[in-house]
Amino acid sequence: MSITIHIATTILTFILMELVAWLSHKYLMHGFLWYLHKDHHQHEPGFWEKNDAFFLIFAVPSATCYIVGLAVIGMFPLLFVGIGISLYGLAYFLVHDI
């Protein structure tokens, strides 16, 4: 595959992650995962929140894409999906949490 397709896959994944994040926030975090997300809205003092668990929850699909994309023959494009997810996570952290 060409480098252009890899870059396009990464960028498209990054853009689609905004929709995934919005839907996850609305339907999961304010739904059955509210017990983890609630402290994010209460702004109590402290370094860690239960809400920080979402970092790990959203890291799993990215890590899976890295592993499968590198380990399984013919699945290399999945690596760039994982990179797009990771870049979105980094951008979200820098914009939202810092």
Side-chain angles (χ1 to χ4, degrees), residues 9-65:
T9 301
T10 302
I11 291 170
L12 181 62
T13 301
F14 182 94
I15 292 168
L16 289 174
M17 281 304 297
E18 181 62 25
L19 177 63
V20 170
W22 185 84
L23 290 169
S24 298
H25 185 257
K26 182 171 179 149
Y27 295 108
L28 299 177
M29 294 178 190
H30 284 263
F32 73 96
L33 294 174
W34 177 248
Y35 69 97
L36 287 176
H37 186 62
K38 180 171 52 174
D39 62 356
H40 177 68
H41 290 279
Q42 293 174 339
H43 302 291
E44 294 183 17
F47 187 73
W48 296 104
E49 300 175 340
K50 287 185 213 171
N51 187 67
D52 294 332
F54 287 110
F55 164 76
L56 296 174
I57 292 168
F58 289 116
V60 169
S62 180
T64 302
C65 288

Side-chain angles (χ1 to χ4, degrees), residues 58-78:
F58 289 116
V60 169
S62 180
T64 302
C65 288
Y66 278 100
I67 293 166
V68 173
L70 288 172
V72 179
I73 295 173
M75 296 300 288
F76 188 65
L78 226 80

Side-chain angles (χ1 to χ4, degrees), residues 30 59 74 85 88:
H30 284 263
I85 295 170
Y88 181 83

